[in-house]
Amino acid sequence: QVDLVESGGGLVQAGASLRLSCAASGRTFSSYGMGWFRQAPGKEREFVASISWSGGTINYADSVKGRFTISRDNAKNTGYLQMNSLKAEDTAVYYCAAVSAAKRSPSAVAGIYDYWGQGTQVTVSS
């Protein structure tokens, strides 16, 4: 049982930055890999970024590479997604997710994650 609570979303202009946070409670967060996904209205949920439990393996979707940075602070049981140079096409509900490192490594496949946050809205005006 891992509860994930996201925060940091909002309305910003294109080119601005936001940092999303994902606070975890329950089982030891450090033992879980983490992923960020997003979903725009009428579209499929898509992968954004993932990070292993140790932070040693990080992957990004091509659409955000060079602009977004995923990180984690296991001592605070919190994951982050720093988003820079935001574009209108980044507008979506953003979700964080967790998967036990003992089960498998995090990936771009949404179905492998065991726990999900409630989502936080990010809106970027052009």
Side-chain angles (χ1 to χ4, degrees):
Q1 181 82 328
V2 175
D3 295 321
L4 305 175
V5 180
E6 301 164 354
S7 62
L11 172 63
V12 298
Q13 296 185 47
S17 298
L18 283 174
R19 187 181 72 165
L20 305 184
S21 297
C22 178
S25 62
R27 296 184 177 181
T28 304
F29 184 64
S30 62
S31 66
Y32 287 80
M34 184 182 71
W36 285 93
F37 292 78
R38 65 188 183 186
Q39 187 168 25
K43 296 184 178 180
E44 295 286 317
R45 181 170 49 185
E46 67 173 342
F47 170 75
V48 176
S50 66
I51 184 170
S52 63
W53 68 271
S54 66
T57 302
I58 294 174
N59 294 105
Y60 297 99
D62 289 341
S63 60
V64 306
K65 190 172 297 182
R67 299 188 297 121
F68 290 11
T69 302
I70 188 171
S71 63
R72 64 191 299 159
D73 187 339
N74 290 339
K76 296 182 178 180
N77 292 327
T78 303
Y80 303 96
L81 183 68
Q82 177 67 45
M83 306 184 295
N84 298 327
S85 302
L86 283 163
K87 306 174 181 179
E89 51 263 44
D90 294 319
T91 295
V93 176
Y94 283 70
Y95 300 90
C96 67
V99 59
S100 173
K103 180 180 178 182
R104 62 189 301 169
S105 299
S107 75
V109 181
I112 63 97
Y113 292 89
D114 298 308
Y115 307 100
W116 294 83
Q118 82 288 351
T120 184
Q121 178 70 49
V122 173
T123 303
V124 184
S125 61
S126 59

